């Protein structure tokens, strides 16, 4: 009978829980621990440990019973080479090693020798080796994984420069369908494209014997590159070598203004039409603190693109300041199946582009209009008629006001809303608070006219948002104080991520309130995973007692920069992280989770 009970427990209850809940259940009793270890872990085929950074001991405990894994995702921020090598093996088909700040490129040779059956590989690494050593290890890895279908390599630092992938073109397996490389020189990318050509016309007479063998037959469908320059030469090389592409994602970060004859022009955009199966396109120029953009592209270039690529379902454009409403509207009209539309830094984009958006693109599910200063509430009212909209990002569109929030409240599928920097007020929060919109992510960052009263309107009106909201950003809002935080702790049962950075009136009382909520989590509230109190100058060191165990037991990331904790890093780290080795403290002012996901600093604090 005991065996039957254990079997039913494992099959009907435990196997439906995620890893974190399984660990909690295992701590309740010896019987439950045994059921988890013997009845659940051995049957797992996929395991994702990306949400927290385990140390070596924690990783060994978790993986000890997972004997059937074929897919593994690890946050390697605190893991050394021996720990990672210990989880590798021929059983793995899919491997994602993220935030590998302590691993050298020798891990590549380990993967190549121990994972011959790998199909999917993602690596985020620091440059701890010279370019020559990295290239040698990369070649060994590629030669040892002949069946790879997806390869994503992101190398960050200053030692391995953009030539690090020079050898990759000679070793890529022909089974590859998805490729992402960062960083890469434009010249190297063009040489890489020659590797994908399916004809042998580039061979000389001396190489005639090579023609007797079948030419490489690559079927790459998705290509993502972060480069020093996007040019016509690059686009023509890509479309000429990979006409079967379905997804193309290109981002460049030029250090200086490109010469006119080497930049992207109409020619490159029109060449994209050779990829007749293309459904997803991203072209972004990112230049931090420098005014460098695609200056040779105006409306005519986008007209040519919209005519050449009518099958696009996802469009993402950044760095096109000379394109106006006419150009962007042509994409909305020509691409009848458009689901995702993202535009960054379009200073000539206004409400007119969305005049009849419901008639031409009612299939829109995701709209992101970041830093488009001419966009007002009128555009949002038009988008409010797109009933399938799930994501609406209006970050830094400062002319958005309360008048459009009733339209937003009518979007029954909306789960993510970004109003950062908008001119909304407390009254506008009332419309959202009374609606049935299932928002899980909300940003009100920099909304200076929203105060504690607005948060009360948002969360005390029995709307759906109190049940669904999991991520909330209230940073840089001078009207936010302890009253707002008390409202949040009382009403938001599903909240797991909270940013209140630069909220100068938040005091220790808010931390105490959040800690109390954590201790009452068994009453229905989820535990906070990420908390950012950067530059909350009214916090005192007395709040340390509320940040220490047993409070915030589920916290994975905590931002403490420019607070009174900053001058006592060692003491604070020892106190808060003593019994929580998975917790990362950030003193550098990063956003939730540290910018784009990882930073190469000392674990636990940086």
């Amino acid at each position: 009978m005991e065996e039957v009970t254990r079997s039913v427990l494992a099959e009907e209850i435990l196997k439906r829980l995620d890893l974190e809940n399984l660990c909690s259940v295992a701590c309740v009793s010896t019987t439950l621990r045994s059921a988890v270890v013997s009845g659940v872990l051995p049957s797992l085929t996929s395991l994702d440990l990306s949400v927290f950074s385990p140390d070596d001991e924690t990783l060994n405990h978790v993986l000890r019973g997972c004997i059937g894994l074929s897919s593994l995702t690890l946050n390697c921020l605190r893991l050394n080479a021996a720990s990672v090598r210990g989880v590798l093996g021929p059983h793995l088909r899919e491997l994602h090693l993220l935030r590998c700040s302590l691993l050298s490129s020798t891990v590549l040779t380990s993967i190549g020798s121990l994972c011959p059956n790998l199909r999917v590989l993602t690596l985020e690494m620091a440059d701890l080796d010279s370019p020559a050593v990295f290239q040698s290890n990369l070649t060994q890895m590629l030669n040892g994984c002949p069946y790879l279908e997806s390869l994503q390599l992101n190398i960050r630092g200053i030692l391995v420069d953009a030539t690090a992938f020079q050898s990759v073109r000679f070793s890529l397996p022909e089974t590859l369908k998805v490729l992402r490389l960062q960083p890469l020189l434009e010249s190297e990318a063009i040489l890489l494209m020659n590797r994908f050509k399916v004809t042998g016309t580039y061979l000389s007479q001396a190489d005639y014997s090579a023609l007797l063998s079948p030419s490489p037959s690559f079927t790459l469908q998705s290509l993502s590159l972060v480069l020093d320059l996007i040019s016509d030469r690059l686009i023509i090389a890509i479309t000429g070598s990979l006409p079967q592409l379905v997804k193309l994602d290109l981002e460049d970060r030029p250090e200086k203004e490109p010469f006119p004859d080497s930049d992207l022009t109409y020619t490159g955009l029109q060449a994209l039409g050779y990829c007749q199966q293309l459904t997803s396109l991203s072209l972004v120029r990112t230049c931090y603190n420098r005014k460098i953009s695609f200056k040779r592209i105006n409306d005519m270039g986008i007209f040519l693109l919209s005519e050449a690529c009518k099958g696009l379902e996802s469009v993402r454009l950044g760095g096109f300041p000379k394109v106006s409403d006419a150009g962007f509207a042509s994409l909305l009209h020509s691409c009848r199946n458009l689901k995702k539309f993202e535009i960054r830094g379009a200073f000539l984009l206004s409400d007119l582009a969305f005049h009849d958006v419901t008639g031409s693109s009612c299939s829109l599910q995701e709209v992101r209009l970041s830093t488009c200063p001419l966009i007002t509430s009128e555009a949002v009212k038009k988008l409010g008629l797109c009933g399938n909209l799930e994501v609406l990002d209006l970050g830094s569109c400062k002319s958005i006001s309360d008048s459009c929030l009733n339209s937003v409240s009518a979007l029954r599928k909306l789960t993510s809303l970004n109003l950062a920097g908008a001119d909304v007020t407390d009254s506008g929060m009332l419309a959202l608070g009374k609606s049935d919109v299932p928002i899980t992510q909300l940003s009100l960052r920099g909304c200076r006219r929203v105060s504690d009263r607005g948060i009360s309107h948002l969360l005390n009106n029995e709307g759906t948002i109190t049940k669904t909201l999991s991520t909330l950003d209230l940073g840089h809002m001078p009207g936010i104080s302890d009253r707002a935080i008390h409202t949040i702790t009382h009403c938001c049962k599903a909240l797991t991520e909270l940013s209140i950075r630069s909220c100068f009136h938040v005091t220790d009382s808010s931390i105490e309130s959040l800690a109390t909520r954590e201790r009452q989590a068994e009453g229905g509230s989820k535990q906070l995973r990420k908390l950012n109190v950067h530059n909350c100058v009214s916090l005192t060191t007395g709040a340390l007692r509320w940040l220490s165990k047993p409070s915030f037991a589920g916290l994975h990331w905590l931002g403490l920069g420019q607070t009174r904790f900053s001058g006592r890093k060692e003491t604070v780290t020892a106190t808060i992280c003593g019994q929580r080795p998975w917790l990362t403290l950030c003193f550098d002012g990063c956003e939730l989770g540290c910018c784009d996901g990882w930073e190469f600093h000392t674990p636990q604090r940086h």
Side-chain angles (χ1 to χ4, degrees):
M1 176 63 79
E2 183 178 346
E3 289 299 322
V4 173
T5 302
R6 183 176 299 178
S7 175
V8 171
L9 179 65
E11 292 294 330
E12 299 299 326
I13 300 176
L14 297 181
K15 286 187 178 181
R16 300 183 181 184
L17 302 178
D18 58 23
L19 180 66
E20 197 154 357
N21 285 320
L22 282 174
C23 292
S24 299
V25 168
C27 295
V28 173
S29 69
T30 303
T31 302
L32 287 174
R33 176 181 174 83
S34 176
V36 170
V37 172
S38 61
V40 180
L41 295 185
S43 64
L44 291 179
T45 58
S46 177
L47 186 62
D48 186 343
L49 300 179
S50 62
V51 295
F52 73 103
S53 49
D55 58 9
D56 302 337
E57 184 179 358
T58 303
L59 182 65
N60 289 334
H61 277 302
V62 172
L63 295 183
R64 186 177 301 163
C66 301
I67 58 177
L69 289 180
S70 60
S71 174
L72 178 62
T73 301
L74 284 180
N75 181 332
C76 300
L77 187 66
R78 295 181 175 82
L79 299 178
N80 58 37
S83 297
V84 173
R85 185 180 177 87
V87 305
L88 303 179
H91 57 286
L92 288 177
R93 299 294 188 273
E94 186 171 334
L95 178 64
H96 305 275
L97 301 180
L98 312 178
R99 310 177 193 182
C100 302
S101 58
L102 303 179
L103 303 183
S104 70
S105 64
T106 55
V107 71
L108 295 170
T109 60
S110 298
I111 293 171
S113 61
L114 298 175
C115 302
N117 300 310
L118 211 57
R119 265 59 173 181
V120 177
L121 175 62
T122 301
L123 279 173
E124 293 178 346
M125 297 184 62
D127 58 349
L128 302 181
D129 298 307
S130 68
V133 172
F134 175 84
Q135 290 179 35
S136 174
N137 291 333
L138 177 59
T139 300
Q140 292 183 52
M141 185 273 289
L142 291 172
N143 290 335
C145 300
Y147 307 115
L148 272 181
E149 297 177 6
S150 175
L151 175 63
Q152 301 186 58
L153 299 176
N154 184 354
I155 312 300
R156 298 182 61 177
I158 57 175
L159 295 178
V160 174
D161 57 20
T163 64
F165 298 120
Q166 280 183 340
S167 61
V168 75
R169 65 179 183 273
F170 302 114
S171 308
L172 287 176
E174 297 177 16
T175 52
L176 206 62
K177 293 181 173 62
V178 177
L179 176 64
R180 175 178 173 82
L181 299 176
Q182 175 183 350
L184 190 66
L185 290 174
E186 175 225 20
S187 57
E188 289 298 324
I190 292 173
L191 291 174
L192 176 61
M193 291 307 104
N194 290 332
R195 172 76 171 112
F196 292 125
K197 285 186 176 179
V198 296
T199 65
T201 55
Y202 61 92
L203 296 175
S204 64
Q205 287 294 324
D207 297 319
Y208 177 77
S209 59
L211 290 173
L212 299 177
S213 301
S215 299
S217 180
F218 287 97
T219 57
L220 200 70
Q221 297 176 358
S222 175
L223 177 65
S224 180
L225 305 175
V226 178
L227 310 119
D228 61 326
L229 181 66
I230 298 173
S231 66
D232 287 346
R233 290 176 62 242
L234 174 65
I235 299 291
I236 291 171
I238 292 173
T239 57
S241 301
L242 300 169
Q244 76 282 3
L245 269 184
V246 175
K247 178 181 180 181
L248 178 61
D249 183 344
L250 300 178
E251 178 182 350
D252 71 358
R253 301 171 181 178
E255 295 184 356
K256 59 182 180 180
E257 192 73 47
F259 292 111
D261 59 349
S262 62
D263 204 358
L264 180 64
T265 71
Y266 308 155
T267 303
L269 293 182
Q270 195 168 21
L272 290 168
Y274 289 107
C275 296
Q276 297 183 1
Q277 300 177 47
L278 197 65
T279 60
S280 178
L281 174 65
S282 176
L283 297 173
V284 174
R285 175 158 287 175
T286 303
C287 296
Y288 302 104
N289 302 318
R290 297 188 300 276
K291 294 182 179 180
I292 303 176
S293 59
F294 293 111
K295 290 185 172 61
R296 301 192 67 190
I297 301 294
N298 57 22
D299 288 339
M300 182 56 68
I302 305 300
F303 290 156
L304 295 172
L305 173 63
S306 62
E307 285 299 311
C309 302
K310 293 186 176 182
L312 288 175
E313 298 178 6
S314 175
V315 173
R316 181 170 173 257
L317 301 176
F320 292 84
K322 292 190 175 183
V323 179
S324 70
D325 293 327
F328 293 121
S330 69
L331 288 169
L332 293 169
H333 286 276
S334 297
C335 304
R336 295 289 180 173
N337 295 320
L338 197 62
K339 295 180 176 61
K340 296 182 180 180
F341 186 65
E342 178 176 351
I343 306 297
R344 297 185 187 179
F347 303 110
L348 300 180
L349 175 63
S350 75
D351 303 340
L352 293 175
F354 303 93
H355 178 65
D356 57 353
V357 68
T358 54
S360 58
S361 299
C362 59
S363 59
L364 284 172
Q365 298 175 0
E366 184 174 320
V367 175
R368 299 180 184 271
L369 307 174
S370 178
T371 318
C372 299
L374 299 183
I375 292 294
T376 75
S377 295
E378 295 306 310
V380 181
K381 290 177 182 178
K382 292 293 184 181
L383 291 169
L385 300 175
C386 299
N388 293 316
L389 209 58
E390 298 173 5
V391 176
L392 182 57
D393 185 345
L394 303 167
S396 297
C397 294
K398 298 181 180 181
S399 296
I400 302 298
S401 65
D402 292 341
S403 63
C404 67
L405 294 185
N406 282 324
S407 298
V408 173
S409 299
L411 295 169
R412 295 292 183 261
K413 296 182 180 180
L414 192 69
T415 58
S416 178
L417 177 62
N418 184 359
L419 295 173
D423 191 33
V424 294
T425 70
D426 293 341
S427 298
M429 295 300 100
L430 191 60
L432 293 177
K434 289 183 175 180
S435 73
D436 294 326
V437 183
I439 295 175
T440 59
Q441 297 178 311
L442 175 63
S443 175
L444 298 173
R445 170 178 291 210
C447 294
R448 296 181 175 274
R449 299 178 67 189
V450 176
S451 66
D452 295 340
R453 183 182 178 187
I455 301 303
S456 179
H457 287 335
L458 180 69
L459 301 175
N460 277 327
N461 280 285
E462 300 182 353
T464 302
I465 192 170
T466 58
K467 303 179 183 69
T468 59
L469 189 63
S470 62
T471 300
L472 179 61
D473 188 347
L474 301 180
H476 302 273
M477 296 175 64
I480 296 300
S481 72
D482 294 333
R483 289 180 58 192
I485 308 305
H486 294 162
T487 300
I488 291 168
T489 57
H490 177 72
C491 299
C492 295
K493 303 299 184 183
L495 194 69
T496 58
E497 299 184 8
L498 175 64
S499 175
I500 47 177
R501 61 185 292 143
S502 297
C503 288
F504 303 136
H505 302 297
V506 168
T507 72
D508 296 359
S509 176
S510 291
I511 306 301
E512 180 182 359
S513 179
L514 291 168
T516 303
R517 172 189 181 272
E518 290 289 300
R519 294 182 181 181
Q520 296 173 348
E522 59 271 15
S525 297
K526 290 188 176 181
Q527 293 181 326
L528 275 181
R529 298 291 181 259
K530 297 177 182 179
L531 175 63
N532 194 348
V533 294
H534 173 84
N535 201 31
C536 289
V537 294
S538 294
L539 292 179
T540 72
T541 53
L544 192 60
R545 63 185 289 255
W546 299 111
L547 292 170
S548 306
K549 252 193 158 185
S551 301
F552 296 102
L555 204 61
H556 297 157
W557 187 91
L558 177 61
L560 294 173
Q562 293 188 26
T563 61
R564 291 176 182 166
F565 303 108
S566 300
R568 306 174 58 191
K569 292 183 181 180
E570 299 300 330
T571 301
V572 169
T573 299
T575 303
I576 296 179
C577 296
Q579 296 178 310
R580 291 181 286 188
W582 61 84
L583 177 60
T584 296
L585 298 189
C586 176
F587 292 96
D588 287 347
C590 299
E591 300 297 340
L592 285 175
C594 290
C595 299
D596 60 350
W598 61 313
E599 294 289 307
F600 296 116
H601 301 278
T602 305
Q604 292 189 347
R605 62 180 179 85
H606 55 269

